[in-house]
Amino acid sequence: MSSIAFIGLGNMGAPMAHNLIKAGHQLTVFDLVPQAVQGLAAAGARAAADATEAVKGAEVVVTMLPASKHVEALYLADDLLAAIDAAALVIDCSTIAPDSARKVAAAAKARGLAMIDAPVSGGTGGAVAGTLTFIVGGEADALQRAMPVLQCMGKNIFHAGAAGAGQVAKICNNMLLGILMAGTSEALALGVANGLDPKVLSDIIAKSSGRNWATELYNPWPGVMDHAPASKGYAGGFGVDLMLKDLGLAAESALSTRSSIPLGELARNLYSLHSAAGTGKLDFSSIVKLYTDKAA
């Protein structure tokens, strides 16, 4: 088993770290929130006073941070790379801008460190169950080294290409997810406004040409799926502001490549409008409120 430093113990990072402990790895953890560190320490991890202490002697360093600025600050501004053993493998699971991933990977390579970007898909449920999908950018050899660690936290692992490619693929996936969730919410709201039962309509769509992940596994209408955040007050899951961040990354990428993403931009505007109503911490499926609250 490996000696692993895990930095970033939020809604996704904490359960991922728990699964590494369950698999028998020795974890040293750090987060800016003391309670998060204490929770992992209670599960058997060693608590570090700061990130530099966490990576000392680690064979693998895993980070799960909110945004590009946090990743660049940790690895570049704070120069965490200098504290990591040259033989260690660095895995960044944050969802960030591809250019940021490439910048950090280049800095790691200059120091002789192997690094991959490995953003995840699957939400908090997948993080807890250990069934996440990892979308990896970086060298094939580094991915092979990472496989025993990633397999403790995920079920599907894809190699998208060189450094930053994992981020590009993740951004494309989440842009489509945002579009699908907004469209599904719109369709359900229209049906309910016309007297249809949302469960019946969802069942029809799930077996028809409009079927998608939202209708089948993550329905945005309260009461349709007991396990979905919609039936739990939209608590937990993948936050509105996180989806808005990812749609913003898609817009940035589109500008840099002169790509046209009219539906992606529309979804970003819808989520921005939704977030402005104070819903940023709710699950992203709460976008249905844009339609139902207005109708009410």
Side-chain angles (χ1 to χ4, degrees):
M1 294 295 113
S2 299
S3 171
I4 301 174
F6 202 110
I7 301 169
L9 305 171
N11 290 337
M12 293 294 292
M16 290 167 66
H18 274 290
N19 283 329
L20 290 173
I21 293 173
K22 290 177 184 177
H25 293 290
Q26 297 178 338
L27 253 67
T28 300
V29 299
F30 175 71
D31 192 278
L32 293 176
V33 179
Q35 293 90 334
V37 176
Q38 292 165 9
L40 266 296
R46 186 177 74 86
D50 54 38
T52 300
E53 180 186 327
V55 303
K56 286 182 179 177
E59 298 171 272
V60 180
V61 175
V62 182
T63 47
M64 180 55 119
L65 303 175
S68 301
K69 63 181 181 181
H70 304 105
V71 174
E72 290 195 33
L74 179 67
Y75 284 112
L76 304 181
D78 296 342
D79 201 13
L80 185 67
L81 293 174
I84 300 173
D85 188 286
L89 171 66
V90 183
I91 305 172
D92 181 42
C93 295
S94 318
T95 297
I96 60 175
D99 285 345
S100 290
R102 296 185 189 108
K103 186 189 300 184
V104 176
K109 185 175 182 179
R111 290 183 178 273
L113 290 166
M115 182 174 188
I116 60 173
D117 50 283
V120 303
S121 179
T124 54
V128 172
T131 57
L132 291 171
T133 293
F134 286 91
I135 309 166
V136 180
E139 298 293 332
D141 289 347
L143 173 55
Q144 282 303 115
R145 289 176 58 189
M147 288 294 283
V149 174
L150 299 181
Q151 287 170 339
C152 295
M153 302 180 287
K155 185 177 181 181
N156 302 298
I157 301 168
F158 295 98
H159 189 196
Q167 302 295 346
V168 173
K170 172 64 185 295
I171 289 168
C172 291
N173 178 78
N174 277 24
M175 180 181 73
L176 180 57
L177 176 60
I179 293 168
L180 289 173
M181 185 58 78
T184 296
S185 296
E186 187 171 306
L188 290 176
L190 176 62
V192 171
N194 279 277
L196 294 184
D197 182 309
K199 176 68 166 62
V200 173
L201 178 55
S202 296
D203 289 343
I204 292 170
I205 293 173
K207 299 300 181 182
S208 304
S209 56
R211 65 186 298 187
N212 64 76
W213 185 82
T215 55
E216 294 185 65
L217 299 173
Y218 211 86
N219 199 287
W221 204 275
V224 173
M225 292 180 176
D226 291 341
H227 67 274
S231 297
K232 302 173 184 178
Y234 299 102
F238 185 62
V240 168
D241 283 348
L242 290 176
M243 174 55 79
L244 183 56
K245 180 202 80 171
D246 288 358
L247 291 169
L249 290 174
E252 291 174 14
S253 181
L255 283 172
S256 68
T257 56
R258 298 178 65 84
S259 300
S260 177
I261 55 164
L263 291 180
E265 284 283 20
L266 176 57
R268 184 173 70 87
N269 287 333
L270 289 172
Y271 273 95
S272 180
L273 182 64
H274 184 42
S275 177
T279 63
K281 300 298 182 183
L282 297 181
D283 182 76
F284 81 107
S285 61
S286 64
I287 190 73
V288 73
K289 288 176 171 288
L290 271 184
Y291 306 97
T292 58
D293 290 356
K294 183 177 181 180

